[in-house]
Amino acid sequence: MEFFDNHKKLFGVATLLFSVLTLFVAIFPAISNQRYIKPLPDAPTLTEAAARGKALYISNGCVACHSQQVRNIEMDKSWGTRASLAADYAGNTRTDFWRNTATLMGTARIGPDLTDIGNRQPSLEWNLVHLFNPRIVVPESIMPAYPWLFKITKEVTETDFVVNIPDEGLISNTQKVVATQDALDLVAYLQSLKQTPLPDGTALPKFLLEKTETNDAAVKTSTAEGKALYVAHCQACHQANGKGLPGAFPPLKGSGVVTGQNLTLYVDIIMNGYDARPEYGAMSAIGANLGWTEKEVAAIINYERTSWGNAAPEVTTTEIKKILDFLKDKTKQQ
Amino acid sequence: MKHIRLILLLLLSGPAVLVNAQDMLPYTTRLDLTSLIIGFILVNILLLLMMTMTFKKQVDSFISFYKKQHGSTPNTERFKTNVKNLTSKQITELIKFKNEVKKNKKLLLLCFIPIPISLPNIVAAQKAPVASQNATSNSIWEQGPVIITIILLLLVLLTTAIVLIIKVKWSINSKKNKLKQKEAIDLADYLKSVPDRSLRTIKNQKESLDYSLTHHELSGTLPTADKRGLLHIRPEAGLPIVSAKKKMRSDHTIDPALSKVIQWYFISATFWLLFGTTVGEYLGIKFVAPDVDSLSWLNFGRLRPVHTNAVFWGWSSLGMLGLGYYIVPRVSNSPLANIKWAWYALHCINLSITLGSITLMMGINNGGGEYREYIWPIMLIFGIGLALTLSNYFITVARRKTTEIYISNWYIVSALSFFTIVGLVGYLPQWQKGLGETIVQGYYMHQAVGMWFMLFTLGIVYYFLPQQLNKPIYSYSLGILAFWAQIVFYTLIGTHHFVFSAIPWWLQTVAIVASVGMVIPVIAGTTNFLMTFKGAWYKLRDSYTLPFFLVGIIFYFTGSMQGTAEAFRYANLIWHFTDFTVAHSHMTMYGIITFLLWAGIYSLIPQLTGREAPQLTIGIHFWLALIGLLLYSIPLMYGGSLRGLSWIAGEPFVDSVSLMLPYWLWRAIGGTLMWLSHLVFAFNMYKMIARPLPSLAIEQTAIDLLMKTDNKMHDN
């Protein structure tokens, strides 16, 4: 055939076909996306520190292991309250003359998704210890350590931010670990990673493939569920053995709050955080951030009250619901 | 010591660890100075050992030669073999000389000049740079600059040792040739004084040498020839560790200048393969021992793109281009348009990857999109190399002396032309805001794989597979069908990496449908290749290149079909974000592309240089790579599936990390085998490309010497 024997026609047509398909499958969708999709009205802009932190996040290739996208399916529910929308990424523009836009959606979850990490783990102290060496707080972790974001020194000035590193032979007794500006910036970026609430009146889009849950509310929740919640949300600080980390996170084993009578304080801490003891890092409002109901709170309390040698009486969801209502009223009155 | 322990662990304890999978914690191995130095020394010793073994044979033959010459055997015994080895022509010359001597009744005494020979101190030369073993414990040794100095020092020592060994090798060789020269003089002496009685024997020898049948006893007088190269007579079989394979024949028609540039493409590609996979191997170790170092330049997130980009743009691209520089002019039946451009393109690409690797380790990258981590100025250098190659190939095809354009050139030239477009779409800033970046990323990374590596490699197979099977491709039409189907379907599948994401739903669906459409080109291609094998399967037994082709073709089918399976929405629930995708990319980029490139390289280089690698080491390379790949990918696929199921079940994330540890250990073991196979491959490259040391032929030199004295006598 003449067409096949003419190099100009053959390669011309092949290239044209490829280019046309490219236009329709890549360039047009991309252009229409960036033209019509705007950031959400409440989307905050990054603070200066967080912007510097994002640059560090990019340059250290964190995206190799951490995605930043909640898919609209049931199994991704643990990473955020709603699926990520195109609007969530619309604010990203070219980094600078040399570097392209970084939406940092990622294609691997060797580590957890970080879309909403600012709500899940906002603690500055925890993040710094974790960056210095993740295995101090999560022994199973395989994340790299970032010691070059810290200074190990004997002399600490007033402006230095000292990180409490539990004694595990990583540094000598006389030395202190001081967070550099880079470490603080990176944590500032992580703290800024929160899902923007949708504008008032917009219903949350539903997750696909949702599990149909059997709803036996008033029944005592199983310890298995309590353990799962504890592992996912509490263990990073309070540890699997409930002993916490000396100098950083308090123990729950034998804790007066956990085994004592003051249920209101206990629930308040879980829902709204706690920062009353200077020797430990501040606890964030983990329950409120994640929208926990009496079911989750009761499950966690019952797990904590019956583990590691703790032997306090279990609670019911009805009890907890009362306390939650009371706490809600209290915050309203304030 | 911990370092050694880790290596031992990797090699031995894989199965044992499986037992208590759920309790596994990452290894606390750290690279301290002691283990670093010990590791370094171990590598050095290994290197030196390998080098020593390569020239042990030479030293041995030198010593035996020396002994023979300095022994007390009488001349008749000593030169028995030499005299036996004389060819008919040499004997004719010898007899002529003898007759001359008789005629002149003149005997000329050759003065015997003893050449002082001193054996070089071989033992001294082999001393390994075993230094500063006790450099531990003291805190000064843990200072960065001191460590760097020590490593630099060791590097210098290693280089010195290598240079020394090469020098010694050369000097032994020249000494040996000197000995041979002396032997030749002695032989000439002996031949001169040989009595008539012995001369008669030698004359008989000549007669027997000269005797031949008419060669027409069986075949008649009609001319015969093995024009198609059907007959292959194997020389001495040697130790039968592996079955002997067919030898390659060298191609004498290739322009030496082109041959040289092609060889340098392969040398560069091999370097990037070694570099890239060494980094990859180290990354694999980091999965099980995350604290192995704590240097910012070697951080996991920074090294990962160094690995992927080096094997993509360095190894695979350069390997493909090198093969392309042979195929394109060859099937166009016309010389390459411009050899200088080929050199410039090579320099551009090497420069780009060098700069790219350094900047990535420094922490400068383009923003995290896979395979476009190099910032644009660096990728531009790479692009210039590609543009030079594209015009070079295109002009060569335009000047072809054949009417039709062979199918290989369809694939190869199109791959270059498409990838230029892909690069522009991926790097131009006009459509990269917000999610536009992600849509372009899906397109870019998948077109880089499918329209660059896959298309180009298919072109290579369409040329070399028929060549190696010595029969035409099964169906030209199937090749054409696969070509157009590949363009139509592959272009659309990019966004299947972002299923369930915020990318428009219709775009995800188009990608999934097109992924199913990929069945057409893949089955067309696989059928075509396997049917070409049909009727020639027995050749697999006789060839060392065809197994590489076959593995590549099998992975072409399985790897591509796996890609289709992974694109479905349900599959995305289990496998997306897990190590399953890592296994998939290795089964394709390694199983398909790398195996087919090896097939092409092992086919081509012997034709260029006339030298083949030892068949034993080619076999070792093949099996290490294949077993390594399977050990790497199967556990990752299994573990990845378990991990996905664990996520679906809503188990805590950290459980899925401990779950993966044994499979990550297996990956490190498989990766180690693959990495070892690349060392063997590099050795094979050396054997195929490096010129062997010149060796002196005793018999011919002796005859030459006689002729010289003969001429002198005439002059007198």
Side-chain angles (χ1 to χ4, degrees):
Chain A
M1 231 194 305
E2 201 269 329
F3 167 71
F4 286 166
D5 294 339
N6 183 324
H7 54 271
K8 282 181 192 156
K9 281 185 191 167
L10 174 68
F11 295 126
V13 168
T15 307
L16 189 70
L17 175 61
F18 180 72
S19 310
V20 169
L21 289 171
T22 297
L23 278 178
F24 281 97
V25 85
I27 295 183
F28 289 160
I31 288 178
S32 96
N33 197 292
Q34 70 181 24
R35 183 170 297 166
Y36 297 114
I37 301 215
K38 298 278 172 262
L40 292 171
D42 298 335
T45 44
L46 289 181
T47 61
E48 248 176 67
R52 288 194 302 266
K54 185 179 180 186
L56 281 165
Y57 186 94
I58 296 169
S59 77
N60 285 302
C62 305
V63 70
C65 302
H66 296 287
S67 60
Q68 284 188 28
Q69 50 169 319
V70 180
R71 297 174 296 171
N72 53 353
I73 44 177
E74 167 79 12
M75 65 184 279
D76 270 27
K77 253 183 165 176
S78 45
W79 304 125
T81 47
R82 62 171 173 84
S84 300
L85 306 170
D88 290 328
Y89 305 98
N92 283 302
T93 50
R94 196 168 176 82
T95 307
D96 55 26
F97 177 70
W98 304 104
R99 284 171 291 190
N100 197 6
T101 318
T103 54
L104 301 170
M105 278 174 87
T107 54
R109 277 185 195 154
I110 300 167
D113 185 274
L114 298 182
T115 311
D116 205 29
I117 190 67
N119 279 325
R120 265 204 330 278
Q121 185 46 280
S123 160
L124 173 66
E125 289 87 349
W126 184 90
N127 271 303
L128 288 173
V129 174
H130 184 252
L131 278 177
F132 181 73
N133 191 320
R135 277 153 295 286
I136 297 173
V137 282
V138 186
E140 298 87 355
S141 172
I142 58 153
M143 178 169 140
Y146 293 83
W148 68 89
L149 296 179
F150 298 84
K151 231 171 29 198
I152 297 177
T153 169
K154 281 181 185 166
E155 287 138 40
V156 179
T157 64
E158 267 184 30
T159 49
D160 282 348
F161 193 100
V162 180
V163 187
N164 287 326
I165 302 296
D167 180 30
E168 289 188 10
L170 287 174
I171 48 164
S172 74
N173 286 336
T174 52
Q175 290 173 320
K176 290 278 177 214
V177 173
V178 173
T180 61
Q181 190 57 43
D182 278 354
L184 296 171
D185 288 345
L186 188 52
V187 175
Y189 173 63
L190 293 175
Q191 287 171 326
S192 80
L193 289 174
K194 293 178 181 172
Q195 283 195 310
T196 314
L198 295 181
D200 288 340
T202 318
L204 285 183
K206 274 213 150 187
F207 283 94
L208 297 172
L209 310 164
E210 213 149 2
K211 276 184 206 157
T212 46
E213 284 181 62
T214 45
N215 223 351
D216 320 323
V219 189
K220 265 204 295 180
T221 47
S222 68
T223 36
E225 194 191 342
K227 184 176 183 187
L229 283 166
Y230 180 83
V231 173
H233 301 291
C234 317
Q235 183 170 300
C237 293
H238 297 293
Q239 301 298 302
N241 55 13
K243 285 182 182 165
L245 287 172
F249 311 110
L252 300 181
K253 180 180 175 178
S255 149
V257 175
V258 172
T259 54
Q261 301 297 316
N262 193 348
L263 259 186
T264 317
L265 174 64
Y266 195 2
V267 175
D268 195 14
I269 291 174
I270 293 178
M271 291 303 287
N272 302 318
Y274 196 57
D275 192 17
R277 297 171 69 178
E279 73 270 33
Y280 292 122
M283 174 163 162
S284 52
I286 204 90
N289 285 344
L290 298 173
W292 280 349
T293 65
E294 64 275 10
K295 222 179 123 212
E296 285 91 1
V297 177
I300 286 180
I301 289 180
N302 285 339
Y303 175 71
E304 290 176 354
R305 284 190 151 196
T306 54
S307 306
W308 324 296
N310 286 354
E314 296 197 9
V315 296
T316 62
T317 44
T318 359
E319 273 176 87
I320 302 298
K321 180 144 179 46
K322 262 188 221 157
I323 298 173
L324 284 176
D325 290 343
F326 167 72
L327 287 173
K328 248 179 232 162
D329 288 346
K330 207 175 91 181
T331 37
K332 258 182 212 160
Q333 279 162 14
Q334 284 168 356
Chain B
M1 288 326 255
K2 283 173 187 158
H3 183 68
I4 302 165
R5 217 169 63 201
L6 178 70
I7 295 170
L8 282 177
L9 254 174
L10 285 181
L11 291 175
L12 301 172
S13 64
V17 171
L18 262 181
V19 180
N20 50 2
Q22 298 304 324
D23 313 327
M24 252 183 95
L25 287 181
Y27 298 108
T28 50
T29 314
R30 265 166 215 278
L31 265 189
D32 54 11
L33 187 68
T34 336
S35 44
L36 201 73
I37 290 177
I38 291 174
F40 196 78
I41 289 171
L42 275 180
V43 172
N44 283 4
I45 290 174
L46 203 75
L47 258 174
L48 290 179
L49 206 71
M50 274 170 67
M51 293 190 67
T52 318
M53 272 159 71
T54 59
F55 81 136
K56 181 182 173 294
K57 215 169 101 186
Q58 211 175 351
V59 176
D60 283 351
S61 81
F62 174 79
I63 290 170
S64 71
F65 202 91
Y66 185 83
K67 271 185 191 157
K68 189 179 141 199
Q69 198 169 48
H70 289 251
S72 52
T73 33
N75 274 358
T76 22
E77 281 300 306
R78 189 169 144 203
F79 294 118
K80 213 171 167 183
T81 21
N82 289 118
V83 172
K84 278 260 167 67
N85 282 345
L86 286 177
T87 63
S88 169
K89 197 178 157 216
Q90 287 167 347
I91 294 177
T92 321
E93 280 165 353
L94 175 67
I95 291 167
K96 200 173 131 208
F97 169 78
K98 281 280 178 189
N99 290 343
E100 296 263 338
V101 172
K102 262 186 207 159
K103 227 187 277 167
N104 295 338
K105 304 262 188 228
K106 208 156 90 185
L107 270 169
L108 203 89
L109 267 170
L110 266 175
C111 40
F112 184 79
I113 308 153
I115 300 162
I117 288 165
S118 59
L119 257 174
N121 194 346
I122 300 163
V123 188
Q126 288 179 45
K127 269 189 187 160
V130 185
S132 56
Q133 279 252 23
N134 51 357
T136 50
S137 63
N138 206 329
S139 69
I140 188 182
W141 299 106
E142 275 150 34
Q143 301 298 313
V146 180
I147 297 176
I148 293 171
T149 315
I150 291 174
I151 290 177
L152 289 177
L153 204 69
L154 285 173
L155 271 180
V156 172
L157 285 177
L158 176 66
T159 321
T160 320
I162 290 174
V163 171
L164 199 62
I165 286 185
I166 292 173
K167 283 282 171 200
V168 168
K169 202 171 154 179
W170 273 92
S171 79
I172 289 178
N173 190 55
S174 76
K175 283 270 153 49
K176 192 170 145 192
N177 278 347
K178 262 187 202 159
L179 279 186
K180 284 184 174 177
Q181 178 80 29
K182 183 168 164 285
E183 188 79 350
I185 293 171
D186 288 358
L187 178 61
D189 235 9
Y190 166 73
L191 288 176
K192 213 186 290 169
S193 62
V194 84
D196 286 354
R197 186 163 39 84
S198 304
L199 203 59
R200 224 168 293 133
T201 336
I202 294 176
K203 273 180 188 161
N204 288 345
Q205 190 184 333
K206 178 179 159 53
E207 249 167 56
S208 68
L209 276 174
D210 286 344
Y211 178 79
S212 75
L213 295 170
T214 58
H215 298 303
H216 305 307
E217 283 85 358
L218 293 174
S219 59
T221 48
L222 289 174
T224 57
D226 181 22
K227 276 182 193 159
R228 290 174 191 158
L230 299 174
L231 295 180
H232 297 285
I233 294 150
R234 290 175 187 153
E236 80 290 351
L239 194 63
I241 299 173
V242 286
S243 62
K245 309 274 183 174
K246 206 163 83 177
K247 288 264 180 195
M248 294 284 181
R249 287 184 305 167
S250 60
D251 176 357
H252 298 295
T253 57
I254 185 164
D255 174 11
L258 179 63
S259 165
K260 190 174 169 199
V261 71
I262 292 175
Q263 286 176 48
W264 275 100
Y265 268 85
F266 293 148
I267 292 169
S268 310
T270 310
F271 170 77
W272 291 117
L273 176 72
L274 281 179
F275 171 78
T277 54
T278 305
V279 173
E281 165 74 358
Y282 190 55
L283 288 171
I285 290 174
K286 285 195 160 202
F287 270 89
V288 282
D291 283 324
V292 68
D293 74 67
S294 48
L295 301 169
S296 62
W297 279 48
L298 300 182
N299 177 39
F300 181 89
R302 295 191 193 181
L303 272 190
R304 186 184 183 275
V306 173
H307 161 68
T308 52
N309 285 288
V311 292
F312 266 45
W313 313 128
W315 153 243
S316 305
S317 299
L318 283 176
M320 288 179 344
L321 290 173
L323 291 167
Y325 275 108
Y326 178 80
I327 297 170
V328 173
R330 189 78 181 175
V331 299
S332 302
N333 203 7
S334 121
L336 185 73
N338 196 326
I339 290 184
K340 249 189 206 158
W341 286 4
W343 282 108
Y344 295 153
L346 177 67
H347 297 324
C348 281
I349 293 173
N350 277 332
L351 178 69
S352 156
I353 301 152
T354 312
L355 291 177
S357 303
I358 294 170
T359 48
L360 285 180
M361 286 200 269
M362 286 166 69
I364 300 169
N365 66 54
N366 194 32
E370 271 177 292
Y371 316 134
R372 48 174 182 162
E373 285 98 343
Y374 290 172
I375 54 172
W376 66 263
I378 291 172
M379 209 52 187
L380 183 66
I381 306 175
F382 185 84
I384 293 171
L386 285 195
L388 282 171
T389 312
L390 174 60
S391 19
N392 214 348
Y393 284 2
F394 189 76
I395 296 171
T396 309
V397 173
R399 288 181 190 161
R400 72 189 178 281
K401 301 210 178 65
T402 54
T403 324
E404 74 279 0
I405 304 165
Y406 183 62
I407 191 89
S408 283
N409 278 354
W410 290 37
Y411 280 89
I412 291 173
V413 177
S414 298
L416 273 161
S417 132
F418 295 174
F419 190 55
T420 314
I421 297 171
V422 174
L424 288 175
V425 173
Y427 273 89
L428 287 177
Q430 277 78 5
W431 38 72
Q432 314 254 14
K433 286 198 200 97
L435 212 56
E437 188 264 348
T438 309
I439 295 171
V440 169
Q441 173 61 25
Y443 167 86
Y444 171 87
M445 67 170 286
H446 228 300
Q447 298 319 305
V449 171
M451 288 303 171
W452 173 236
F453 295 112
M454 200 60 244
L455 209 59
F456 202 120
T457 305
L458 286 172
I460 292 169
V461 179
Y462 275 106
Y463 176 77
F464 275 111
L465 184 66
Q467 190 210 53
Q468 292 297 303
L469 283 169
N470 203 9
K471 62 187 290 224
I473 194 82
Y474 169 70
S475 162
Y476 207 82
S477 320
L478 268 181
I480 295 174
L481 170 75
F483 178 77
W484 295 108
Q486 172 105 355
I487 298 175
V488 170
F489 292 118
Y490 214 123
T491 316
L492 307 179
I493 68 177
T495 33
H496 75 197
H497 287 254
F498 296 100
V499 172
F500 292 125
S501 77
I503 277 180
W505 190 257
W506 69 266
L507 202 57
Q508 300 177 25
T509 310
V510 166
I512 296 169
V513 172
S515 306
V516 178
M518 276 308 290
V519 169
I520 298 173
V522 170
I523 290 191
T526 314
T527 311
N528 211 356
F529 300 143
L530 289 183
M531 289 304 275
T532 308
F533 262 107
K534 194 185 161 208
W537 283 105
Y538 66 92
K539 289 191 178 173
L540 199 61
R541 202 177 48 204
D542 285 342
S543 159
Y544 58 77
T545 57
L546 288 175
F548 283 98
F549 278 110
L550 187 67
V551 169
I553 292 164
I554 300 292
F555 272 112
Y556 175 50
F557 182 73
T558 49
S560 306
M561 288 296 99
Q562 190 188 46
T564 300
E566 279 181 85
F568 289 109
R569 288 211 167 91
Y570 175 71
N572 260 275
L573 294 179
I574 316 178
W575 291 332
H576 194 42
F577 294 135
T578 70
D579 284 291
F580 193 96
T581 52
V582 180
H584 171 69
S585 60
H586 281 81
M587 280 174 75
T588 47
M589 280 307 293
Y590 196 83
I592 307 175
I593 307 291
T594 300
F595 266 87
L596 290 175
L597 285 182
W598 281 329
I601 288 174
Y602 279 131
S603 304
L604 180 56
I605 300 186
Q607 297 181 42
L608 300 180
T609 62
R611 284 182 287 278
E612 288 182 79
Q615 295 187 350
L616 180 68
T617 48
I618 296 178
I620 293 175
H621 168 206
F622 175 80
W623 287 109
L624 276 181
L626 183 57
I627 295 171
L629 175 60
L630 294 177
L631 278 185
Y632 180 103
S633 50
I634 294 173
L636 274 192
M637 285 193 278
Y638 184 68
S641 307
L642 289 184
R643 196 176 198 199
L645 290 173
S646 152
W647 290 346
I648 291 178
E651 290 164 14
F653 187 84
V654 72
D655 285 3
S656 75
V657 176
S658 346
L659 168 95
M660 278 306 288
L661 265 168
Y663 306 105
W664 282 330
L665 186 62
W666 274 108
R667 163 222 288 246
I669 294 166
T672 308
L673 294 185
M674 285 151 81
W675 181 73
L676 286 175
S677 86
H678 304 155
L679 294 184
V680 180
F681 170 64
F683 169 79
N684 290 342
M685 287 291 290
Y686 168 77
K687 291 303 260 186
M688 288 190 287
I689 288 180
R691 231 172 271 117
L693 299 173
S695 175
L696 195 123
I698 296 175
E699 292 84 5
Q700 189 54 48
T701 317
I703 297 297
D704 286 348
L705 278 174
L706 280 182
M707 289 301 101
K708 243 185 235 163
T709 44
D710 188 26
N711 288 342
K712 254 185 214 158
M713 284 188 299
H714 278 291
D715 292 345
N716 290 349

